């Protein structure tokens, strides 16, 4: 069993953040661990507020994991302030995990900003260069590049621009495109297209967290990058398609659909 750690914020409603990450790791047969960066008050209807964990406590959590358990991959989610980013980047340089997947969580689905504006440059300088894979959606890619993205050509250019910041590979997620849900992966040499069809569903809470966590799990389990992305995308699609109606807003995906199906449930 491979060991994967989430470095992210919480979600007491269980659909996003560290909760979604750990569910996804387990669904992929990995041992799940988590380091909490922020305590977030949120549910399916939106984010109410959050409180950042101190850099010292974040560092202590990371040390507690890496000094005791072998880590095969790291997934990073909510890192809201410069101090949080710097301490995580320092620990990544110290421990040098095999795979680092960064989901640049900037704005929640509800529109609540989760990355302070003053932290954007720190993210570019400190964390993006350490990413084996960066997984921005279109709005996040627009913030990172300062360019408007409205077609595949601009998605490709954005991926190349972000890779120029140091990321080994960039997956620009197309879920915000009106026509389809095609994602584009730039691996430093060329582009891979992952076509998808849009699912009319309100069960989309935590999809970005779950996708990046699935990619991290697949990489830890030995898949190459393109396969890791393709399988992760199918996992999220199935999770949305078979989600249970939970909450009064945008509910979570069904993280364990394939396991329930195999069990005849």
């Amino acid at each position: 069993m491979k060991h994967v750690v989430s470095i992210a914020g919480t979600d007491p409603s269980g659909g996003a953040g560290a909760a979604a990450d750990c569910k996804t790791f387990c669904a992929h047969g990995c041992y799940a661990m988590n380091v909490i960066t922020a305590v977030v008050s949120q549910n399916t209807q939106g984010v109410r507020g959050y409180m950042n964990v101190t850099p010292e406590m974040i560092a202590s959590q990371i040390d507690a994991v890496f000094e005791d358990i072998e880590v095969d991959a790291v997934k990073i989610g909510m890192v809201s302030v410069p101090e949080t980013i710097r301490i995580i980047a320092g620990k990544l340089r110290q421990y040098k995990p095999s795979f680092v997947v960064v989901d640049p969580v900037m704005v929640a689905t509800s529109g609540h900003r989760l990355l302070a504006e003053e932290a954007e440059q720190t993210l570019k300088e400190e964390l993006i260069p350490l990413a084996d894979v960066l997984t921005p959606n279109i709005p996040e890619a627009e913030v990172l590049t300062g360019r408007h993205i409205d077609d595949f050509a601009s998605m490709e250019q954005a991926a190349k621009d972000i890779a120029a910041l140091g990321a080994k590979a960039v997956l620009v997620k197309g879920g915000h495109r009106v026509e389809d849900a095609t994602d584009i992966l730039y691996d430093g040499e060329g582009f891979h297209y992952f076509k998808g069809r849009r699912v009319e569903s309100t069960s989309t809470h935590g999809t970005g967290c779950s996708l990046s966590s699935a990619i991290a799990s697949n990489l830890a389990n030995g898949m190459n990058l393109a396969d890791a992305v393709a399988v992760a995308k199918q996992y999220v699609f199935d999770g949305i398609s078979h989600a249970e109606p939970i909450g009064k807003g945008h509910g979570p995906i069904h993280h364990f659909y394939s396991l329930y199906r195999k069990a005849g449930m």
Side-chain angles (χ1 to χ4, degrees):
M1 180 180 288
K2 300 299 182 180
H3 312 144
V4 188
V5 61
S6 158
I7 302 178
T10 65
D11 177 3
S13 70
D21 294 344
C22 288
K23 289 177 183 178
T24 302
F25 299 157
C26 293
H28 287 77
C30 296
Y31 181 73
M33 302 172 284
N34 60 261
V35 168
I36 300 303
T37 60
V39 178
V40 186
S41 174
Q42 65 174 313
N43 56 24
T44 66
Q45 299 179 84
V47 175
R48 302 183 178 194
Y50 64 85
M51 179 178 65
N52 291 310
V53 175
T54 65
E56 294 78 14
M57 181 54 69
I58 294 172
S60 180
Q61 292 178 79
I62 295 173
D63 288 337
V65 171
F66 278 87
E67 290 175 3
D68 184 41
I69 300 171
E70 181 179 354
V71 175
D72 296 294
V74 174
K75 177 272 167 92
I76 299 174
M78 180 180 175
V79 288
S80 56
V81 291
E83 295 77 12
T84 295
I85 295 170
R86 292 191 188 100
I87 201 70
I88 293 172
K91 288 301 177 181
L92 292 177
R93 288 191 287 266
Q94 176 183 345
Y95 292 113
K96 299 178 175 59
S98 299
F99 299 105
V100 176
V101 179
V102 178
D103 183 23
V105 179
M106 295 181 173
V107 181
T109 302
S110 61
H112 196 288
R113 190 176 182 91
L114 298 177
L115 179 72
E117 289 188 29
E118 63 269 22
E120 290 175 8
Q121 190 61 34
T122 309
L123 181 74
K124 292 179 182 179
E125 295 174 354
E126 295 283 341
L127 200 53
I128 289 179
L130 300 175
D132 291 285
V133 190
L134 195 81
T135 63
N137 58 33
I138 286 178
E140 290 161 348
E142 289 180 330
V143 171
L144 291 171
T145 62
R147 69 167 65 244
H148 179 64
I149 302 171
D150 58 4
D151 56 20
F152 291 142
S154 54
M155 288 175 70
E156 286 189 1
Q157 188 58 55
K160 291 184 71 174
D161 289 349
I162 296 170
L165 297 173
K168 293 180 182 176
V170 179
L171 178 71
V172 178
K173 299 177 293 188
H176 287 75
R177 285 177 53 86
V178 175
E179 306 94 287
D180 53 47
T182 297
D183 303 337
I184 298 178
L185 173 69
Y186 178 63
D187 62 8
E189 296 181 355
F191 296 97
H192 303 264
Y193 275 62
F194 301 89
K195 295 185 178 181
R197 57 188 177 90
R198 189 174 300 281
V199 182
E200 294 301 324
S201 172
T202 58
S203 298
T204 55
H205 184 50
T207 50
C209 304
S210 302
L211 179 70
S212 54
S213 295
I215 293 171
S217 300
N218 291 335
L219 290 173
N221 283 325
M223 289 188 186
N224 64 51
L225 179 56
D227 288 345
V229 172
V231 172
K233 187 173 177 67
Q234 185 63 48
Y235 168 75
V236 173
F237 178 83
D238 289 342
I240 296 172
S241 301
H242 299 89
E244 295 290 329
I246 295 174
K248 299 176 182 178
H250 290 275
I253 71 172
H254 193 328
H255 289 91
F256 299 105
Y257 163 69
S258 64
L259 298 180
Y260 278 43
R261 182 181 59 184
K262 290 176 182 177
M265 298 173 64

